[in-house]
Coordinates of all heavy atoms in Angstrom, one line a residue:
M1 N 38.6 7.4 -13.7 CA 37.5 6.7 -13.1 C 37.5 7.0 -11.6 O 38.5 6.7 -11.0 CB 37.6 5.2 -13.4 CG 36.7 4.4 -12.6 SD 36.4 2.7 -13.2 CE 38.1 2.1 -13.4
P2 N 36.4 7.4 -11.0 CA 36.4 7.6 -9.5 C 36.5 6.2 -8.8 O 35.7 5.3 -9.2 CB 35.0 8.2 -9.3 CG 34.6 8.9 -10.6 CD 35.2 8.0 -11.6
V3 N 37.4 6.1 -7.9 CA 37.7 4.9 -7.2 C 38.0 5.2 -5.8 O 38.7 6.1 -5.5 CB 38.9 4.1 -7.8 CG1 39.2 2.9 -7.0 CG2 38.6 3.7 -9.3
R4 N 37.5 4.3 -4.9 CA 37.8 4.4 -3.5 C 38.0 3.0 -2.9 O 37.3 2.1 -3.3 CB 36.7 5.1 -2.7 CG 36.5 6.5 -2.9 CD 37.6 7.4 -2.3 NE 37.3 8.8 -2.4 CZ 37.6 9.5 -3.5 NH1 38.1 8.9 -4.5 NH2 37.4 10.8 -3.5
K5 N 38.9 2.9 -2.0 CA 39.1 1.6 -1.3 C 38.6 1.7 0.1 O 38.6 2.8 0.7 CB 40.6 1.2 -1.3 CG 41.2 0.9 -2.7 CD 42.5 0.4 -2.6 CE 43.1 0.2 -4.0 NZ 43.1 -1.2 -4.4
A6 N 38.1 0.6 0.6 CA 37.5 0.6 1.9 C 37.7 -0.8 2.5 O 37.9 -1.8 1.8 CB 36.0 0.9 1.9
V7 N 37.7 -0.9 3.8 CA 37.8 -2.2 4.5 C 36.4 -2.4 5.2 O 35.9 -1.6 5.9 CB 38.9 -2.2 5.6 CG1 38.8 -3.5 6.4 CG2 40.2 -2.0 4.9
V8 N 35.8 -3.5 4.9 CA 34.5 -3.9 5.4 C 34.6 -4.1 6.9 O 35.3 -5.0 7.3 CB 33.9 -5.1 4.7 CG1 32.5 -5.5 5.3 CG2 33.7 -4.9 3.2
Q9 N 33.9 -3.3 7.7 CA 34.0 -3.4 9.2 C 32.8 -4.1 9.8 O 32.9 -4.5 11.0 CB 34.0 -2.0 9.8 CG 35.3 -1.3 9.4 CD 36.6 -2.0 9.9 OE1 36.6 -2.5 11.0 NE2 37.6 -2.0 9.1
S10 N 31.7 -4.4 9.1 CA 30.6 -5.2 9.7 C 31.1 -6.5 10.1 O 31.8 -7.2 9.4 CB 29.5 -5.3 8.6 OG 28.6 -6.3 9.1
P11 N 30.8 -6.9 11.3 CA 31.2 -8.2 11.9 C 30.8 -9.4 11.0 O 31.5 -10.4 11.0 CB 30.6 -8.3 13.2 CG 30.2 -7.0 13.6 CD 30.0 -6.2 12.3
I12 N 29.8 -9.3 10.2 CA 29.4 -10.4 9.4 C 29.6 -10.1 7.9 O 29.2 -10.8 7.0 CB 27.9 -10.8 9.6 CG1 26.9 -9.7 9.2 CG2 27.6 -11.3 11.0 CD1 25.5 -10.0 9.2
G13 N 30.4 -9.1 7.6 CA 30.7 -8.7 6.2 C 29.5 -8.1 5.6 O 28.5 -7.7 6.2
L14 N 29.5 -8.2 4.2 CA 28.3 -7.7 3.5 C 27.4 -8.8 3.2 O 27.4 -9.4 2.1 CB 28.8 -7.0 2.2 CG 29.4 -5.6 2.4 CD1 29.8 -5.0 1.1 CD2 28.5 -4.7 3.2
H15 N 26.7 -9.2 4.2 CA 25.7 -10.3 4.1 C 24.4 -9.9 4.8 O 24.5 -9.2 5.8 CB 26.3 -11.6 4.8 CG 25.4 -12.8 4.6 ND1 25.2 -13.4 3.4 CD2 24.7 -13.4 5.5 CE1 24.4 -14.4 3.5 NE2 24.0 -14.4 4.8
A16 N 23.3 -10.3 4.3 CA 22.0 -10.0 4.8 C 21.8 -8.5 5.1 O 21.8 -7.7 4.2 CB 21.8 -10.9 6.1
R17 N 21.5 -8.2 6.3 CA 21.2 -6.8 6.6 C 22.3 -5.8 6.3 O 22.0 -4.7 5.7 CB 20.8 -6.6 8.1 CG 20.3 -5.3 8.5 CD 19.7 -5.3 9.9 NE 19.1 -4.0 10.2 CZ 19.7 -3.0 10.9 NH1 20.9 -3.2 11.4 NH2 19.1 -1.9 11.1
P18 N 23.5 -6.0 6.6 CA 24.6 -5.0 6.2 C 24.6 -4.8 4.7 O 24.8 -3.7 4.2 CB 25.9 -5.6 6.7 CG 25.4 -6.5 7.9 CD 24.1 -7.0 7.5
A19 N 24.5 -5.9 3.9 CA 24.5 -5.8 2.5 C 23.3 -5.0 2.0 O 23.4 -4.2 1.1 CB 24.4 -7.2 1.9
A20 N 22.1 -5.2 2.6 CA 20.9 -4.5 2.2 C 21.1 -3.0 2.5 O 20.7 -2.2 1.7 CB 19.7 -5.0 2.9
I21 N 21.6 -2.6 3.6 CA 21.9 -1.2 3.9 C 22.8 -0.6 2.9 O 22.6 0.5 2.4 CB 22.4 -1.1 5.4 CG1 21.3 -1.5 6.4 CG2 22.9 0.3 5.6 CD1 21.8 -1.6 7.8
F22 N 23.9 -1.3 2.6 CA 24.9 -0.8 1.6 C 24.2 -0.6 0.3 O 24.4 0.4 -0.4 CB 26.1 -1.7 1.6 CG 27.1 -1.4 0.5 CD1 27.9 -0.2 0.7 CD2 27.2 -2.1 -0.6 CE1 28.8 0.1 -0.3 CE2 28.1 -1.8 -1.6 CZ 28.9 -0.6 -1.5
V23 N 23.5 -1.7 -0.2 CA 22.9 -1.6 -1.5 C 21.9 -0.5 -1.6 O 21.8 0.2 -2.6 CB 22.3 -3.0 -1.9 CG1 21.4 -2.9 -3.1 CG2 23.4 -4.0 -2.1
R24 N 21.1 -0.3 -0.5 CA 20.2 0.8 -0.5 C 20.9 2.2 -0.7 O 20.5 3.0 -1.4 CB 19.3 0.8 0.7 CG 18.3 2.0 0.8 CD 17.3 1.9 1.9 NE 16.4 0.9 1.5 CZ 16.0 -0.1 2.3 NH1 16.5 -0.2 3.5 NH2 15.1 -1.0 1.9
A25 N 22.0 2.3 0.0 CA 22.8 3.6 -0.1 C 23.3 3.8 -1.5 O 23.3 4.9 -2.0 CB 23.9 3.6 1.0
V26 N 23.8 2.7 -2.1 CA 24.3 2.8 -3.5 C 23.1 3.2 -4.4 O 23.2 4.1 -5.2 CB 24.9 1.5 -3.9 CG1 25.2 1.5 -5.4 CG2 26.2 1.2 -3.1
T27 N 22.0 2.5 -4.3 CA 20.8 2.8 -5.1 C 20.4 4.2 -4.9 O 20.1 4.9 -5.9 CB 19.7 1.8 -4.8 OG1 20.2 0.5 -5.0 CG2 18.5 2.0 -5.7
D28 N 20.3 4.7 -3.7 CA 19.9 6.1 -3.4 C 20.9 7.1 -4.0 O 20.5 8.2 -4.3 CB 19.8 6.3 -1.9 CG 18.6 5.6 -1.2 OD1 17.8 5.1 -2.0 OD2 18.6 5.6 0.0
S29 N 22.1 6.7 -4.2 CA 23.1 7.6 -4.8 C 22.8 7.9 -6.3 O 23.2 8.9 -6.9 CB 24.5 7.1 -4.7 OG 24.8 6.1 -5.7
G30 N 22.1 6.9 -6.9 CA 21.7 7.1 -8.4 C 22.9 6.8 -9.3 O 22.8 7.0 -10.5
L31 N 24.0 6.3 -8.8 CA 25.2 6.0 -9.6 C 25.4 4.5 -9.8 O 25.1 3.7 -9.0 CB 26.4 6.5 -8.8 CG 26.5 8.0 -8.6 CD1 27.6 8.4 -7.7 CD2 26.7 8.7 -10.0
P32 N 26.0 4.2 -11.0 CA 26.2 2.8 -11.3 C 27.6 2.3 -10.7 O 28.6 2.1 -11.3 CB 26.3 2.8 -12.8 CG 26.9 4.2 -13.1 CD 26.3 5.1 -12.1
V33 N 27.5 2.2 -9.3 CA 28.7 1.8 -8.6 C 29.0 0.3 -8.7 O 28.1 -0.5 -8.8 CB 28.5 2.1 -7.1 CG1 29.7 1.7 -6.2 CG2 28.3 3.6 -6.9
R34 N 30.3 0.0 -8.8 CA 30.7 -1.4 -8.9 C 31.6 -1.6 -7.6 O 32.2 -0.7 -7.1 CB 31.5 -1.7 -10.1 CG 30.7 -1.3 -11.3 CD 31.0 -2.0 -12.6 NE 31.3 -3.3 -12.7 CZ 30.4 -4.4 -12.8 NH1 29.1 -4.1 -12.8 NH2 30.9 -5.6 -13.0
I35 N 31.5 -2.9 -7.1 CA 32.3 -3.2 -5.9 C 33.1 -4.5 -6.2 O 32.5 -5.4 -6.8 CB 31.5 -3.3 -4.6 CG1 32.3 -3.7 -3.4 CG2 30.3 -4.3 -4.8 CD1 31.6 -3.6 -2.1
G36 N 34.4 -4.5 -5.9 CA 35.2 -5.7 -6.1 C 36.2 -5.9 -5.0 O 36.4 -5.0 -4.2
K37 N 36.9 -7.0 -5.1 CA 38.0 -7.2 -4.2 C 39.0 -8.1 -5.0 O 38.7 -8.6 -6.1 CB 37.6 -7.9 -2.9 CG 37.1 -9.3 -3.1 CD 36.7 -10.0 -1.8 CE 36.3 -11.4 -2.0 NZ 36.0 -12.1 -0.7
A38 N 40.2 -8.3 -4.5 CA 41.2 -9.0 -5.1 C 40.7 -10.4 -5.4 O 40.1 -11.1 -4.6 CB 42.5 -9.1 -4.2
G39 N 40.9 -10.9 -6.7 CA 40.5 -12.2 -7.0 C 39.1 -12.4 -7.6 O 38.8 -13.5 -8.0
I40 N 38.3 -11.3 -7.6 CA 37.0 -11.4 -8.2 C 36.7 -10.2 -9.2 O 37.3 -9.2 -9.0 CB 35.8 -11.5 -7.2 CG1 35.6 -10.2 -6.5 CG2 36.0 -12.6 -6.2 CD1 34.3 -10.0 -5.8
V41 N 35.9 -10.5 -10.1 CA 35.5 -9.4 -11.0 C 34.5 -8.5 -10.3 O 33.6 -9.0 -9.6 CB 34.8 -10.0 -12.3 CG1 34.2 -8.9 -13.2 CG2 35.7 -10.9 -13.0
P42 N 34.6 -7.2 -10.4 CA 33.7 -6.3 -9.7 C 32.2 -6.6 -10.1 O 32.0 -6.9 -11.2 CB 34.1 -4.9 -10.1 CG 35.6 -5.1 -10.4 CD 35.7 -6.4 -11.1
V43 N 31.3 -6.4 -9.1 CA 29.9 -6.7 -9.3 C 29.1 -5.4 -9.2 O 29.6 -4.4 -8.6 CB 29.4 -7.7 -8.4 CG1 30.1 -9.1 -8.5 CG2 29.5 -7.3 -6.9
D44 N 27.9 -5.3 -9.7 CA 27.0 -4.2 -9.6 C 26.6 -4.0 -8.1 O 25.9 -4.9 -7.5 CB 25.8 -4.4 -10.5 CG 24.9 -3.2 -10.5 OD1 25.0 -2.3 -9.7 OD2 24.0 -3.2 -11.4
A45 N 27.0 -2.9 -7.5 CA 26.7 -2.7 -6.1 C 25.3 -2.3 -5.8 O 24.9 -2.2 -4.7 CB 27.7 -1.6 -5.5
R46 N 24.5 -2.2 -6.9 CA 23.1 -1.9 -6.8 C 22.3 -3.2 -6.7 O 21.1 -3.2 -6.4 CB 22.5 -1.1 -7.9 CG 23.2 0.3 -8.1 CD 22.9 0.9 -9.4 NE 23.5 0.1 -10.5 CZ 23.4 0.5 -11.7 NH1 22.8 1.6 -12.1 NH2 24.0 -0.3 -12.6
S47 N 23.0 -4.4 -6.8 CA 22.3 -5.7 -6.8 C 22.6 -6.4 -5.5 O 23.7 -6.8 -5.2 CB 22.8 -6.5 -8.0 OG 22.4 -7.9 -7.8
L48 N 21.6 -6.6 -4.7 CA 21.7 -7.3 -3.4 C 22.3 -8.7 -3.6 O 23.2 -9.1 -2.9 CB 20.4 -7.3 -2.6 CG 20.5 -7.9 -1.2 CD1 21.5 -7.2 -0.3 CD2 19.1 -7.9 -0.6
L49 N 21.7 -9.4 -4.6 CA 22.2 -10.7 -4.9 C 23.6 -10.8 -5.2 O 24.4 -11.6 -4.7 CB 21.3 -11.3 -6.0 CG 21.6 -12.8 -6.3 CD1 21.4 -13.7 -5.1 CD2 20.7 -13.3 -7.5
E50 N 24.1 -9.9 -6.1 CA 25.5 -9.9 -6.5 C 26.4 -9.6 -5.4 O 27.5 -10.2 -5.2 CB 25.7 -8.9 -7.7 CG 25.1 -9.4 -9.0 CD 25.5 -8.6 -10.2 OE1 26.6 -8.1 -10.3 OE2 24.6 -8.4 -11.1
V51 N 26.0 -8.6 -4.6 CA 26.9 -8.2 -3.4 C 27.0 -9.3 -2.4 O 28.0 -9.7 -2.0 CB 26.3 -6.9 -2.8 CG1 27.0 -6.6 -1.4 CG2 26.5 -5.7 -3.7
M52 N 25.8 -10.0 -2.1 CA 25.8 -11.1 -1.1 C 26.6 -12.3 -1.6 O 27.3 -12.9 -0.8 CB 24.4 -11.4 -0.7 CG 23.8 -10.4 0.2 SD 22.1 -10.8 0.6 CE 22.3 -12.4 1.4
T53 N 26.5 -12.6 -2.9 CA 27.2 -13.8 -3.4 C 28.7 -13.6 -3.7 O 29.4 -14.5 -3.8 CB 26.5 -14.4 -4.6 OG1 26.5 -13.3 -5.7 CG2 25.1 -14.8 -4.3
A54 N 29.1 -12.3 -3.7 CA 30.6 -12.0 -3.9 C 31.4 -12.3 -2.7 O 32.6 -12.3 -2.8 CB 30.7 -10.6 -4.4
D55 N 30.8 -12.5 -1.5 CA 31.5 -12.9 -0.3 C 32.5 -11.8 0.2 O 33.7 -12.0 0.2 CB 32.3 -14.2 -0.4 CG 32.8 -14.7 0.9 OD1 32.3 -14.4 1.9 OD2 33.9 -15.3 0.9
F56 N 32.0 -10.6 0.4 CA 32.8 -9.5 1.0 C 32.7 -9.7 2.5 O 31.8 -9.2 3.2 CB 32.2 -8.2 0.6 CG 32.3 -8.0 -0.9 CD1 31.1 -7.9 -1.6 CD2 33.5 -7.9 -1.6 CE1 31.2 -7.7 -3.0 CE2 33.5 -7.7 -3.0 CZ 32.4 -7.6 -3.7
H57 N 33.7 -10.4 3.1 CA 33.7 -10.7 4.5 C 34.3 -9.6 5.3 O 34.9 -8.6 4.8 CB 34.5 -12.0 4.8 CG 35.9 -11.9 4.2 ND1 36.9 -11.3 5.0 CD2 36.5 -12.3 3.1 CE1 38.0 -11.3 4.3 NE2 37.8 -11.9 3.1
S58 N 34.1 -9.7 6.6 CA 34.6 -8.7 7.6 C 36.1 -8.6 7.4 O 36.8 -9.6 7.4 CB 34.2 -9.0 9.0 OG 34.6 -8.1 9.9
G59 N 36.6 -7.3 7.3 CA 38.0 -7.1 7.2 C 38.6 -7.1 5.9 O 39.8 -6.8 5.7
C60 N 37.8 -7.5 4.8 CA 38.3 -7.5 3.5 C 38.4 -6.1 2.9 O 37.5 -5.3 3.2 CB 37.6 -8.5 2.6 SG 36.1 -7.9 1.9
E61 N 39.4 -5.9 2.1 CA 39.5 -4.6 1.4 C 38.7 -4.7 0.1 O 38.9 -5.6 -0.7 CB 40.9 -4.3 1.1 CG 41.1 -2.9 0.4 CD 42.5 -2.5 0.1 OE1 43.1 -3.2 -0.7 OE2 43.0 -1.6 0.8
V62 N 37.8 -3.7 -0.1 CA 37.0 -3.7 -1.4 C 37.4 -2.4 -2.1 O 37.9 -1.4 -1.5 CB 35.5 -3.7 -1.1 CG1 35.1 -5.0 -0.4 CG2 35.1 -2.5 -0.2
E63 N 37.1 -2.4 -3.4 CA 37.3 -1.2 -4.2 C 35.9 -0.8 -4.8 O 35.3 -1.7 -5.4 CB 38.3 -1.5 -5.3 CG 38.6 -0.3 -6.2 CD 39.7 -0.6 -7.2 OE1 40.9 -0.5 -6.8 OE2 39.3 -0.9 -8.3
L64 N 35.5 0.4 -4.6 CA 34.3 1.0 -5.1 C 34.7 1.8 -6.3 O 35.6 2.6 -6.2 CB 33.6 1.8 -4.1 CG 33.2 1.1 -2.8 CD1 32.7 2.2 -1.8 CD2 32.3 0.0 -3.0
S65 N 34.0 1.7 -7.4 CA 34.3 2.5 -8.6 C 33.0 2.8 -9.4 O 32.0 2.2 -9.3 CB 35.2 1.7 -9.5 OG 34.6 0.5 -10.0
V66 N 33.2 3.9 -10.2 CA 32.2 4.3 -11.1 C 32.9 4.6 -12.4 O 33.8 5.5 -12.4 CB 31.4 5.6 -10.6 CG1 30.4 6.0 -11.7 CG2 30.7 5.3 -9.3
D67 N 32.4 4.0 -13.5 CA 33.0 4.4 -14.8 C 32.5 5.7 -15.3 O 31.2 5.9 -15.4 CB 32.6 3.3 -15.8 CG 33.1 3.5 -17.2 OD1 33.7 4.5 -17.5 OD2 33.0 2.6 -18.1
P68 N 33.3 6.7 -15.5 CA 32.9 8.0 -15.9 C 31.9 8.0 -17.1 O 31.0 8.8 -17.3 CB 34.1 8.8 -16.2 CG 35.2 8.1 -15.6 CD 34.8 6.6 -15.5
E69 N 32.1 7.1 -18.0 CA 31.3 7.0 -19.2 C 29.9 6.5 -18.9 O 29.0 6.7 -19.7 CB 31.9 6.0 -20.3 CG 33.2 6.6 -20.8 CD 33.9 5.7 -21.8 OE1 33.3 4.7 -22.2 OE2 35.1 5.9 -22.1
A70 N 29.7 5.9 -17.7 CA 28.4 5.4 -17.3 C 27.7 6.4 -16.4 O 26.6 6.1 -15.9 CB 28.6 4.0 -16.6
L71 N 28.3 7.5 -16.1 CA 27.7 8.5 -15.2 C 26.4 9.1 -15.8 O 26.5 9.5 -17.0 CB 28.7 9.7 -14.9 CG 29.7 9.5 -13.9 CD1 30.6 10.7 -13.8 CD2 29.1 9.2 -12.5
P72 N 25.4 9.1 -15.1 CA 24.2 9.9 -15.6 C 24.5 11.3 -15.8 O 25.4 11.9 -15.2 CB 23.2 9.7 -14.4 CG 23.6 8.6 -13.6 CD 25.1 8.5 -13.8
A73 N 23.9 11.9 -16.8 CA 24.2 13.3 -17.2 C 24.2 14.3 -16.1 O 24.9 15.3 -16.1 CB 23.2 13.7 -18.3
R74 N 23.4 14.1 -15.0 CA 23.3 15.1 -14.0 C 24.4 15.0 -13.0 O 24.5 15.8 -12.0 CB 21.9 14.9 -13.2 CG 21.8 13.6 -12.5 CD 20.4 13.5 -11.8 NE 20.3 12.4 -11.0 CZ 19.9 11.2 -11.4 NH1 19.6 11.0 -12.7 NH2 19.8 10.2 -10.5
Y75 N 25.3 14.1 -13.1 CA 26.5 13.9 -12.2 C 27.8 14.3 -12.9 O 28.0 14.0 -14.0 CB 26.6 12.4 -11.8 CG 25.5 12.0 -10.8 CD1 24.4 11.3 -11.3 CD2 25.6 12.3 -9.5 CE1 23.4 10.9 -10.4 CE2 24.6 11.9 -8.6 CZ 23.5 11.2 -9.1 OH 22.5 10.8 -8.2
S76 N 28.6 14.9 -12.1 CA 30.0 15.2 -12.5 C 30.9 14.1 -11.9 O 30.5 13.4 -10.9 CB 30.4 16.6 -12.0 OG 30.5 16.6 -10.6
V77 N 32.1 14.1 -12.3 CA 33.1 13.2 -11.7 C 33.3 13.5 -10.2 O 33.4 12.6 -9.4 CB 34.5 13.2 -12.5 CG1 35.5 12.4 -11.8 CG2 34.3 12.7 -13.9
E78 N 33.3 14.8 -10.0 CA 33.5 15.2 -8.6 C 32.3 14.8 -7.7 O 32.6 14.3 -6.5 CB 33.6 16.8 -8.5 CG 34.9 17.3 -9.1 CD 34.8 17.4 -10.6 OE1 33.7 17.4 -11.2 OE2 35.9 17.4 -11.2
S79 N 31.1 14.8 -8.2 CA 30.0 14.4 -7.4 C 30.0 12.9 -7.2 O 29.6 12.3 -6.1 CB 28.6 14.8 -7.9 OG 28.4 14.3 -9.2
A80 N 30.5 12.1 -8.2 CA 30.6 10.7 -8.1 C 31.7 10.4 -7.0 O 31.5 9.4 -6.2 CB 31.0 10.1 -9.4
E81 N 32.8 11.1 -7.0 CA 33.8 10.9 -6.0 C 33.3 11.2 -4.6 O 33.6 10.4 -3.7 CB 35.1 11.8 -6.3 CG 35.8 11.3 -7.5 CD 36.9 12.3 -7.9 OE1 37.0 13.4 -7.4 OE2 37.7 11.9 -8.8
A82 N 32.5 12.2 -4.5 CA 31.9 12.5 -3.2 C 31.0 11.4 -2.7 O 31.0 11.0 -1.5 CB 31.2 13.8 -3.2
A83 N 30.2 10.8 -3.6 CA 29.3 9.7 -3.3 C 30.1 8.5 -2.9 O 29.7 7.8 -1.9 CB 28.4 9.4 -4.5
L84 N 31.2 8.2 -3.6 CA 32.0 7.0 -3.2 C 32.6 7.2 -1.9 O 32.8 6.3 -1.1 CB 33.1 6.8 -4.3 CG 32.6 6.3 -5.6 CD1 33.8 6.0 -6.5 CD2 31.8 5.0 -5.5
E85 N 33.0 8.5 -1.6 CA 33.5 8.8 -0.2 C 32.5 8.4 0.8 O 32.8 7.9 1.9 CB 34.0 10.2 -0.2 CG 34.7 10.5 1.1 CD 36.0 9.8 1.3 OE1 36.7 9.4 0.3 OE2 36.4 9.6 2.5
G86 N 31.3 8.8 0.6 CA 30.2 8.5 1.6 C 30.0 7.0 1.7 O 29.8 6.5 2.9
L87 N 30.0 6.3 0.6 CA 29.9 4.8 0.7 C 31.0 4.2 1.4 O 30.9 3.2 2.2 CB 29.7 4.3 -0.7 CG 28.4 4.7 -1.4 CD1 28.5 4.3 -2.9 CD2 27.2 4.1 -0.7
T88 N 32.2 4.7 1.2 CA 33.4 4.2 1.9 C 33.3 4.4 3.4 O 33.6 3.5 4.2 CB 34.7 5.0 1.4 OG1 34.8 4.7 0.0 CG2 35.9 4.6 2.1
L89 N 32.8 5.6 3.8 CA 32.6 5.9 5.2 C 31.6 4.9 5.8 O 31.7 4.4 7.0 CB 32.2 7.3 5.4 CG 33.3 8.4 5.1 CD1 32.7 9.8 5.2 CD2 34.5 8.2 6.0
L90 N 30.5 4.6 5.1 CA 29.5 3.7 5.5 C 30.1 2.3 5.8 O 29.9 1.7 6.9 CB 28.4 3.6 4.5 CG 27.3 2.6 4.8 CD1 26.4 3.1 5.9 CD2 26.4 2.4 3.5
L91 N 30.9 1.8 4.9 CA 31.5 0.5 5.1 C 32.5 0.5 6.2 O 32.6 -0.5 7.0 CB 32.2 0.1 3.8 CG 31.4 -0.3 2.6 CD1 32.2 -0.5 1.3 CD2 30.5 -1.4 2.9
E92 N 33.3 1.6 6.3 CA 34.4 1.6 7.3 C 33.9 1.9 8.7 O 34.6 1.6 9.7 CB 35.5 2.5 6.9 CG 36.2 1.9 5.7 CD 37.5 2.6 5.4 OE1 37.7 3.8 5.7 OE2 38.4 1.9 4.7
A93 N 32.8 2.6 8.8 CA 32.2 2.9 10.1 C 31.5 1.7 10.7 O 31.0 1.7 11.9 CB 31.3 4.1 10.0
G94 N 31.2 0.7 9.9 CA 30.5 -0.5 10.4 C 29.0 -0.1 10.5 O 28.2 -0.8 11.1
A95 N 28.6 1.0 9.9 CA 27.2 1.5 9.9 C 26.3 0.5 9.2 O 25.1 0.5 9.5 CB 27.1 2.9 9.3
A96 N 26.8 -0.3 8.3 CA 26.0 -1.3 7.6 C 26.0 -2.6 8.4 O 25.9 -3.7 7.9 CB 26.6 -1.5 6.2
A97 N 26.1 -2.5 9.8 CA 26.1 -3.7 10.6 C 24.8 -4.0 11.1 O 23.9 -3.2 11.4 CB 27.1 -3.5 11.8

């Protein structure tokens, strides 16, 4: 399963605008990405409501994952890994701020 860890750098975490930017990037990837952190069940990263209510605060470590069995036919595991790397960079650069 493609997995990446990232630390949320947005000063307000994944709430409101930063969450919307992140969710849009996930949706644009076309992949069924899940996001989680210690102590919570991973949520669908394509859902703004789920991401915002999961309380991914600034500085928390999150795990992004894609189940290979849920990959759309046009994607390989390698392309999913590349997409997760891009999403990781987005979170860690604070670009979703």
Side-chain angles (χ1 to χ4, degrees):
M1 169 167 49
V3 175
R4 291 287 184 278
K5 292 188 184 255
V7 176
V8 176
Q9 294 298 322
S10 168
I12 62 171
L14 288 181
H15 185 69
R17 186 168 185 262
I21 292 168
F22 174 72
V23 168
R24 177 170 288 129
V26 172
T27 302
D28 289 349
S29 78
L31 294 168
V33 177
R34 304 203 40 87
I35 182 171
K37 67 178 184 177
I40 70 159
V41 175
V43 299
D44 185 348
R46 299 169 294 182
S47 168
L48 182 59
L49 182 60
E50 288 187 38
V51 170
M52 287 179 55
T53 59
D55 188 32
F56 298 113
H57 57 83
S58 180
C60 80
E61 183 179 66
V62 297
E63 184 174 276
L64 304 173
S65 62
V66 177
D67 181 353
E69 295 177 13
L71 278 177
R74 67 184 185 272
Y75 289 96
S76 66
V77 172
E78 292 78 20
S79 63
E81 288 174 348
L84 288 182
E85 185 65 27
L87 294 170
T88 298
L89 293 173
L90 177 70
L91 291 174
E92 291 193 335

